[in-house]
């Protein structure tokens, strides 16, 4: 048996368990499918485009894609259950339907969620319920959070629900990560849509706001409770600590990707939670696992930021060019062209996943993804 045959045989023996079917987890599973036995654990039957949640809140009928269609003919085994326990010593994961799933390699891709605001407030994750609430009648809606998520929600809802008065509250400036030109365009567009902006006001509790509907769009929290309970080290921000190849610093058979991982790269430094970092990290983790099974040393993640893309309703937007470390340049694209560019970027994420299903070996050739 030659070296290539031994490598292929080794890969066939590998059982890879991927927890989470978001951008990062699904990309990892699709890229690994031709090389290893892949089990994808996620309770949902569909992949949700989280970057379109503001559109769903405004009334877009569907932002999901059936997992069965995305994984057809890949050999991926989708377990429609929720992981409840990781046992690193036994290399097993328990699920809420009573299964015990063994693994040789585990990929932790459980993503993030909006910090729990309590029962009164809606969040991007409850976009469908928010849309139903908006149908009940006009009133005042307040978005809390002046980051990109809050900006997109405020613009989308103000544009689509004219009978509602929309307010945006933030403890800092609106769009603190944008350039002066970028912030100015965001303010002008939001104001033009009728959004009342209140900067420099910190809100600790939704009950502190006198409004009919509260939409909480503040900082994200990594879904790393399972990892912590299993003794997998987290960083101070609550994300899984990983090395440059995305392996856990304590359990090299465990990888973490996407929002759940405390990822860094030489050019960008610490990577923020985003679809833009999730897809490349999922692809890179797959490359690392394939390299390991071939007896090769995985390479460190190389990533640099290029732009921030912001929707400002359906007819306006902002493309903020950034340096490798995500700090803003002065160059921006605004208005209709920016809206169309953002839409193509969003569509490209799903196209990339479909490409990974059909031709996984081509993904590393895509700039910014591979």
């Amino acid at each position: 048996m030659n070296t290539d045959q031994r490598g292929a045989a080794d890969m066939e023996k590998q059982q890879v368990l991927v927890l989470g079917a978001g951008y990062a987890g699904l990309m990892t599973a699709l890229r690994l499918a031709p090389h290893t036995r892949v089990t994808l654990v996620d309770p949902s039957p569909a992949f949700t485009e989280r970057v379109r949640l503001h559109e769903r809140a405004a009334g877009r009928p569907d932002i999901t894609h059936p997992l069965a269609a995305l994984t057809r003919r890949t050999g991926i085994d989708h377990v429609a259950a929720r992981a409840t326990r990781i046992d690193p010593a036994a290399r097993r994961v328990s699920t809420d339907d009573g299964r015990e799933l063994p693994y040789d390699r585990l990929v932790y891709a459980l993503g993030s969620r909006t910090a729990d605001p309590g029962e009164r407030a809606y969040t991007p994750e409850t976009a469908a319920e928010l849309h139903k609430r908006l149908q009940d009648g006009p009133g005042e809606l307040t978005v809390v959070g002046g980051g990109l998520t809050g900006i997109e929600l405020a613009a989308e809802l103000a544009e689509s629900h004219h009978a509602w008065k929309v307010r945006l509250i933030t403890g800092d400036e609106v769009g603190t990560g944008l350039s002066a030109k970028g912030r100015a365009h965001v303010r002008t567009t939001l104001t033009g849509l009728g959004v009342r902006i209140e900067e420099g006001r910190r809100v600790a509790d939704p009950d502190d706001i006198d409004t009919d509907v509260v939409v909480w769009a503040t900082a994200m929290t990594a879904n790393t409770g399972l990892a912590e309970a299993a003794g997998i080290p987290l960083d101070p921000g609550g994300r899984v600590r990983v090395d440059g190849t995305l392996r856990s610093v304590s359990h090299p058979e465990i990888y973490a990707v996407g929002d759940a991982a405390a990822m860094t790269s030489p050019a960008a430094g610490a990577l923020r939670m985003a679809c833009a970092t999730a897809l490349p990290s999922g692809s890179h983790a797959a490359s690392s696992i394939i390299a390991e099974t071939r007896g090769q040393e995985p390479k460190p993640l190389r990533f640099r930021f290029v732009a921030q893309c912001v929707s400002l309703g359906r007819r306006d937007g902002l493309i903020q060019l950034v340096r490798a470390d995500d700090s803003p340049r002065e160059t921006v694209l605004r208005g209709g062209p920016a809206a169309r560019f953002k839409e193509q970027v969003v569509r490209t994420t799903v196209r990339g996943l479909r490409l990974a299903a059909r031709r996984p070996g081509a993904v590393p050739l895509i700039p910014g993804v591979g």
Side-chain angles (χ1 to χ4, degrees):
M1 183 182 291
N2 61 34
T3 301
D4 289 342
Q5 289 172 325
R6 283 196 300 272
D10 288 342
M11 283 190 288
E12 289 176 359
K13 297 175 184 177
Q14 292 289 315
Q15 173 65 60
V16 180
L17 204 58
V18 180
L19 304 185
Y23 292 101
L26 188 53
M27 176 59 81
T28 308
L30 291 170
R31 280 221 49 221
L32 283 173
H35 307 286
T36 65
R37 289 179 290 129
V38 178
T39 299
L40 180 63
V41 182
D42 193 291
S44 174
F47 163 75
T48 297
E49 292 187 75
R50 284 188 63 177
V51 293
R52 291 195 188 273
L53 286 173
H54 59 289
E55 297 177 43
R56 181 68 185 91
R60 187 183 179 105
D62 193 22
I63 56 170
T64 64
H65 305 268
L67 281 175
L70 289 169
T71 61
R72 185 180 297 123
R73 293 189 293 274
T74 63
I76 294 172
D77 178 21
H78 174 216
V79 173
R82 191 179 305 278
T84 57
R85 181 172 179 267
I86 301 171
D87 184 345
R91 295 196 181 187
R92 288 184 177 273
V93 168
S94 305
T95 62
D96 61 359
D97 62 355
R99 303 193 207 194
E100 294 289 328
L101 304 174
Y103 63 85
D104 296 302
R105 294 289 182 273
L106 175 70
V107 180
Y108 195 101
L110 292 177
S112 63
R113 67 189 186 281
T114 305
D116 185 11
E119 294 184 1
R120 186 192 175 200
Y122 294 89
T123 67
E125 292 85 355
T126 59
E129 291 81 359
L130 171 58
H131 177 63
K132 291 178 183 177
R133 171 64 182 87
L134 295 179
Q135 306 312 301
D136 292 340
E140 184 179 62
L141 177 147
T142 301
V143 177
V144 180
L148 303 188
T149 300
I151 290 169
E152 290 190 326
L153 275 164
E156 200 80 30
L157 296 176
E159 181 185 77
S160 61
H161 291 75
H162 302 291
W164 282 82
K165 295 179 181 178
V166 178
R167 175 172 49 162
L168 177 63
I169 295 177
T170 176
D172 299 304
E173 287 186 292
V174 168
T176 54
L178 303 173
S179 65
K181 287 182 182 178
R183 289 194 300 275
H185 182 66
V186 167
R187 287 196 186 96
T188 299
T189 305
L190 288 176
T191 302
L193 290 169
V195 177
R196 180 156 60 94
I197 301 171
E198 295 183 15
E199 296 177 305
R201 178 181 173 186
R202 299 193 178 279
V203 179
D205 191 310
D207 290 330
D208 295 337
I209 308 170
D210 182 16
T211 189
D212 297 297
V213 173
V214 178
V215 184
W216 206 254
T218 57
M220 304 297 290
T221 299
N223 293 320
T224 49
L226 275 182
E228 184 176 25
I232 300 168
L234 309 182
D235 79 339
R239 304 168 80 182
V240 176
R241 292 180 57 206
V242 294
D243 64 16
T245 69
L246 305 185
R247 288 180 292 203
S248 162
V249 296
S250 62
H251 298 79
E253 73 281 2
I254 297 176
Y255 285 76
V257 294
D259 289 359
M263 304 179 293
T264 62
S265 77
L271 305 189
R272 60 180 166 88
M273 297 180 181
C275 172
T277 54
L279 288 172
S281 69
S283 178
H284 187 81
S287 293
S288 294
I289 292 171
I290 293 169
E292 273 194 311
T293 55
R294 289 174 173 169
Q296 303 167 354
E297 182 62 27
K299 297 179 180 179
L301 174 68
R302 298 178 64 85
F303 178 86
R304 58 192 302 125
F305 289 100
V306 177
Q308 297 179 17
C309 303
V310 190
S311 295
L312 297 171
R314 295 295 84 208
R315 296 182 294 274
D316 203 331
L318 174 72
I319 308 302
Q320 171 70 69
L321 296 189
V322 299
R323 300 179 182 86
D325 65 355
D326 207 30
S327 59
R329 298 180 184 274
E330 285 304 309
T331 306
V332 297
L333 177 67
R334 296 169 283 198
R340 291 189 290 274
F341 186 91
K342 167 69 185 293
E343 176 60 24
Q344 289 307 309
V345 168
V346 172
R347 293 186 183 189
T348 297
T349 63
V350 177
R351 290 172 184 154
L353 291 168
R354 288 175 175 154
L355 176 65
R358 296 193 311 271
R359 297 183 59 195
V363 174
L365 304 178
I366 304 174
V369 176

